[in-house]
Amino acid sequence: VLGAALYQATGLADRQTEAFLLDNPDMLPRMATELQERETQARLAKAGDEWRTPFPGAVLGNPEGTRTLFEFSDYNCGYCRMSLQHVQELIARDPELRVVIKEWPIFEGSDVAARMALAAAKQGKYAAFHDALYKKEVADSQTVDQVGKAIGLDMERARRDAQGQDVTMELMRTAALAQDLGFTGTPAWITGNRILQGAQGTERLAQAIEDSAETP
């Protein structure tokens, strides 16, 4: 099935090429990877560059870093919670790393957490809120309020900011982008023109960032 799809996609559906590929089956995974990378680059190019500008303050690591990792995440996602340690390890080892969080609340009840996170960003306390909330087992309204108070947010202002038009538009843009890029869940990652989906672990993320930096 994979071979047939690749033949059609690349225009190689002839007997000579078929025989060659049958004799060299290791080429099929390489062709599939190349095709996927080309499709990814096309989708990213179509999305433009506006989305690469972070919501003010919603950045971990070095805000002026020369290497950037984008993370699409949800506070009620277990794999996102697990990935927190991986991101922290990356930041600790690379002072030039900027991690831009794209709040993408796809689980029930996560909208409240995502909105409060962006409200915390407006008070310069995004990282504190982000890390503290992921240490909780669930990100419901009560927990969100507890974390907000614990890190010293002006809660009256935060609740107001959380419902602001800029926060609403940021969440809408992120959801639309995730759909356009074909994301199927959280976490999802972008570095340079490379997309990864699901929990990756520290070393795979580090390698992706390095590969992206080396790509012209």
Side-chain angles (χ1 to χ4, degrees), residues 45-63:
K46 184 178 180 180
D49 290 325
E50 183 179 358
W51 65 269
R52 293 183 184 271
T53 300
F55 186 88
V59 177
L60 307 177
N62 182 355

Side-chain angles (χ1 to χ4, degrees), residues 37 41 191-194 207-216:
E37 289 180 354
Q41 292 176 10
T191 178
N193 289 321
R194 185 172 180 184
Q207 186 62 56
I209 295 167
E210 181 179 346
D211 292 344
S212 175
E214 294 176 352
T215 302

Side-chain angles (χ1 to χ4, degrees), residues 36 43-44 104 175-185 188 195 197:
Q36 184 179 37
R43 291 198 301 268
L44 285 172
W104 187 27
L177 174 63
Q179 182 176 3
D180 290 344
L181 296 178
F183 291 168
T184 56
I195 288 176
Q197 296 196 58

Side-chain angles (χ1 to χ4, degrees), residues 34-110:
E34 177 66 21
L35 182 60
Q36 184 179 37
E37 289 180 354
R38 291 184 182 184
E39 291 176 346
T40 294
Q41 292 176 10
R43 291 198 301 268
L44 285 172
K46 184 178 180 180
D49 290 325
E50 183 179 358
W51 65 269
R52 293 183 184 271
T53 300
F55 186 88
V59 177
L60 307 177
N62 182 355
E64 305 298 327
T66 58
R67 287 180 286 277
T68 302
L69 175 68
F70 296 88
E71 178 186 355
F72 291 66
S73 58
D74 181 306
Y75 289 102
N76 281 307
C77 166
Y79 290 109
C80 296
R81 186 176 298 109
M82 181 175 64
S83 297
L84 173 63
Q85 180 181 347
H86 307 153
V87 171
Q88 290 175 333
E89 290 173 354
L90 290 171
I91 291 172
R93 70 165 69 168
D94 186 355
E96 284 297 322
L97 182 61
R98 179 180 72 144
V99 181
V100 176
I101 305 297
K102 308 297 287 187
E103 297 290 348
W104 187 27
I106 59 176
F107 287 84
E108 184 177 356
S110 294

